[in-house]
Amino acid sequence: MSSIAIIDYGMGNLHSIAKALEHVAGKNRVCVTSARDVIAAADRVVFPGVGAIRDCMAELQRTGLDEVVIDVARSKPLLGVCLGMQALLDESEENNGTACLGIIPGSVKHFKGNIGQEGLKIPHMGWNQVLQRGTHPMWKDIPDGSRFYFVHSYYAVPANNNDVAATTPYGIEFASVIAHDNVFAAQFHPEKSQNAGLGLLTNFVDWNGVS
Amino acid sequence: MGLAKRIIPCLDVDAGRVVKGVRFVDIRDAGDPVEVARRYDEQGADEITFLDITASSDQRETMVHVVEQVAGEVFIPLTVGGGIREIVDIRRLLNAGADKVGINTAAVSNPEFVRDASERFGSQCIVVSIDARQVSSAEEQPRWEIFTHGGRKPTGIDAVEWAQRMVDYGAGEILLTSMDRDGTRDGFDLALTSTISNAVDVPVIASGGVGTLDHLVEGILQGRADAVLAASIFHFGEFTIAEAKQYMARAGIEIRL
């Protein structure tokens, strides 16, 4: 039996991701927590997030959980979701430029002006294809090109191409998943992506952090 | 290849039970919301929208419990609209597992509420619901205005200007219902839908009037909607969501199958 901690730093509702993880976790324990010792003791950690990056970073710093995330990223399986993915990079264009955690080299940009095609709506909202790059234990039993649920206006631009574990077409082909050692981070919401999402969460419950 | 157009079944919920109004008068019972949501999820619904039409405020809490139950077993986006007037209403629904809330009357009576809500919770969870009726005559350039209170109360506000203003205030999506078509099964008001969709950057959900699968196709191809919402054609088993999706895919629309 292992434990999965979902980091609660006051950014949005964690009910859905907790419910979805519980749904696939079997006997493994799932807890939503802001306690450093619980996160430090967990076998796996989920770093979620919705809202604006400035508020997200401010809350992480205020609670001291920024250091906790950095520690986890060095030591055990970490799943970043949505804003929890973007926060892993060096910086974001959002809120007139916001410094992020700097765990994965790269930046976060707004779709506007970067997707040439006329008529593409922002936010990028709905079910889009996730095109896997290479193999990864997190892709087990998930068909390449499966659709996941997205809702976002900013997207990650990792500096190292090797950190891109999947891309998604939306005017441009952007990095929808970043993977680096024991870190796996998705722009989409696995907890809202029905069978494909539950499959990914199942793989996370089983993942030992080796890519 | 790319972003799929969405099919969204809408469940009207009154005191915890699913109902569907035809022109908001003739209401029939179509079941338990958790059961219906689970069925739609199995059929491949891309999202589910709950419209809370509960009149009495002491039964409002019922909707929160419905959302909690559905969110515990259905892992697709859930939107809840109806009677949302205060920040606390939004917080309760999001905490119960809703992903988005639809704001309608409260946006008209207090537009700042939309700005406040989107600043607090993020645009991604704020859907502004617009109920519009055509106010121009057949010979005129088409014009639509906003109606509230289930389409009964005129406001004199132009629908296009209103949609743009709501996006400026932080709406992340527009749920657009033609009150002329709602319950008629004559198809979407395609002119209204395409006019609004072209006027705003955010996704537009077409609603009101679906009676056939061709209507869903038209809503996307001619109405330029990003998603289509329907109720009665799904509730009474005329078509499954899966049938609707296959039909739309055959029409060349990008669909999650």
Side-chain angles (χ1 to χ4, degrees), chain B residues 124-159:
Chain B
Q124 82 288 339
C125 65
I126 304 300
V127 182
V128 169
S129 301
I130 295 180
D131 292 345
R133 272 187 199 281
Q134 188 162 348
V135 292
S136 51
S137 62
E139 310 82 62
E140 287 179 292
Q141 179 83 3
R143 230 161 15 85
W144 299 266
E145 283 182 7
I146 303 305
F147 284 69
T148 59
H149 298 80
R152 295 188 304 275
K153 199 175 158 197
T155 64
I157 302 169
D158 179 78

Side-chain angles (χ1 to χ4, degrees), chain B residues 22-23 179-187 208-210:
Chain B
V22 178
R23 289 184 190 269
M179 301 312 292
D180 297 313
R181 298 300 179 91
D182 200 54
T184 64
R185 304 173 68 87
D186 290 340
V210 175

Side-chain angles (χ1 to χ4, degrees), chain A residues 6-17 32-34 46-63 65 81-84 86-87 94-95 189 191, chain B residues 91 94-95 118-125:
Chain A
I6 303 169
I7 303 179
D8 180 5
Y9 56 105
M11 285 303 284
N13 154 46
L14 308 179
H15 180 278
S16 298
I17 193 143
V32 175
T33 183
S34 55
V46 178
F47 178 40
V50 294
I53 192 75
R54 183 183 52 205
D55 299 341
C56 162
M57 289 308 301
E59 280 308 295
L60 284 171
Q61 283 152 9
R62 190 183 64 77
T63 54
L65 289 171
V81 175
C82 195
L83 202 62
Q86 296 179 3
E94 193 176 1
N95 305 125
H189 289 270
E191 76 279 16
Chain B
R91 181 172 293 125
L94 296 180
N95 285 342
S118 65
E119 277 173 8
R120 268 173 214 249
F121 304 108
S123 288
Q124 82 288 339
C125 65

Side-chain angles (χ1 to χ4, degrees), chain A residues 78-133:
Chain A
L78 174 68
L79 176 63
V81 175
C82 195
L83 202 62
M85 172 205 200
Q86 296 179 3
L88 300 177
L89 290 123
D90 292 321
E91 58 184 342
S92 172
E93 280 183 359
E94 193 176 1
N95 305 125
N96 300 317
T98 304
C100 300
L101 295 169
I103 293 167
I104 305 282
S107 62
V108 177
K109 293 189 190 306
H110 197 279
F111 276 126
K112 199 163 203 160
N114 291 315
I115 46 174
Q117 257 171 283
E118 188 121 334
L120 284 179
K121 299 299 182 80
I122 301 173
H124 171 227
M125 185 187 287
W127 299 79
N128 205 338
Q129 290 173 303
V130 172
L131 310 171
Q132 301 168 14
R133 276 201 192 168

Side-chain angles (χ1 to χ4, degrees), chain B residues 51 65 70 79 85 87 118 125 143 181-182 186-187 209 238:
Chain B
L51 182 62
H65 297 310
V70 174
T79 302
R85 290 189 176 79
I87 290 296
S118 65
C125 65
R143 230 161 15 85
R181 298 300 179 91
D182 200 54
D186 290 340
E238 278 169 74

Side-chain angles (χ1 to χ4, degrees), chain A residues 13 121 129 147 192 194, chain B residues 1-2 41 94 99 201 254:
Chain A
N13 154 46
K121 299 299 182 80
Q129 290 173 303
R147 291 184 186 275
K192 287 291 166 182
Q194 218 215 13
Chain B
M1 199 175 77
D41 175 46
L94 296 180
D99 298 281
D201 287 338
E254 191 82 32

